[in-house]
Amino acid sequence: MSPRRTPAVWRRGAAVLTGYALAAALAGCAGAAPDLEADAAAKLQQRVLEVTKSAAESNPAAALKSLASLSSALDAAAAAGQVSFKRHRSITAAINSVRADLTAAQAAKNAAAKAAAVKATPAPKPSPTTAPAVVVPAPAPAPAPAKVGKQASSGKSGREANKDRHSGKNKG
């Protein structure tokens, strides 16, 4: 959706509100008891134009704010007796229809902005200082040295050396 093109939903909503405002203004000029007095029609039409302008600028948040202002103005005019119950109900129905369209447009705009933000965010790069820890096992304890007895190293085998040691023969 290009920023210059207005979505069909917004154009339709703006057209509906504008049509109601124009119809209300024309009805205010009728000779019998009006459904909508001329002063109230002019004020409401001004509010409708604010909604239409915001919707045409692809700004659903501002259009929703203007729509809330329009709804408040309509309720105030009805309380003052400037709008008949029948007219108030039909304009409220149109406001609710446009509000639903603008809310959907705002949700779509928020989702698109969120998707663009996620797409623009680079993936985190692994830090060179956070290399995985390598566990080095502790060295195994050294074996205990074997017991070495005092044996004469006369070149004789173990039995013969023991005989010499016990027999009292001392070679010197």
Side-chain angles (χ1 to χ4, degrees):
M1 171 171 66
S2 80
R4 293 228 180 252
R5 293 185 59 212
T6 305
V9 169
W10 295 354
R11 286 188 302 234
R12 185 184 74 209
V16 167
L17 279 177
T18 303
Y20 273 112
L22 291 175
L26 292 176
C29 297
D35 282 340
L36 182 62
E37 290 185 5
D39 284 345
K43 289 177 184 177
L44 293 176
Q45 188 175 17
Q46 181 61 35
R47 306 284 180 165
V48 168
L49 290 175
E50 290 172 10
V51 173
T52 304
K53 181 180 175 187
S54 296
E57 293 173 348
S58 297
N59 190 348
L64 284 167
K65 187 175 179 180
S66 297
L67 196 63
S69 176
L70 170 63
S71 184
S72 296
L74 175 64
D75 292 342
Q82 297 175 326
V83 180
S84 72
F85 176 73
K86 179 181 175 184
R87 179 65 69 176
H88 180 272
R89 196 171 60 193
S90 68
I91 294 173
T92 299
I95 288 172
N96 290 338
S97 173
V98 172
R99 182 177 289 123
D101 290 344
L102 289 172
T103 301
Q106 179 67 36
K109 187 174 183 178
N110 290 345
K114 186 176 180 180
V118 167
K119 188 176 182 181
T121 304
K125 296 179 182 178
S127 175
T129 60
T130 58
V134 178
V135 179
V136 179
K147 289 186 178 181
V148 178
K150 291 184 179 180
Q151 292 184 348
S153 57
S154 60
K156 299 180 179 178
S157 69
R159 232 178 190 181
E160 292 175 356
N162 281 338
K163 278 184 184 179
D164 288 342
R165 200 179 307 155
H166 293 300
S167 63
K169 295 182 186 174
N170 230 347
K171 291 186 178 179

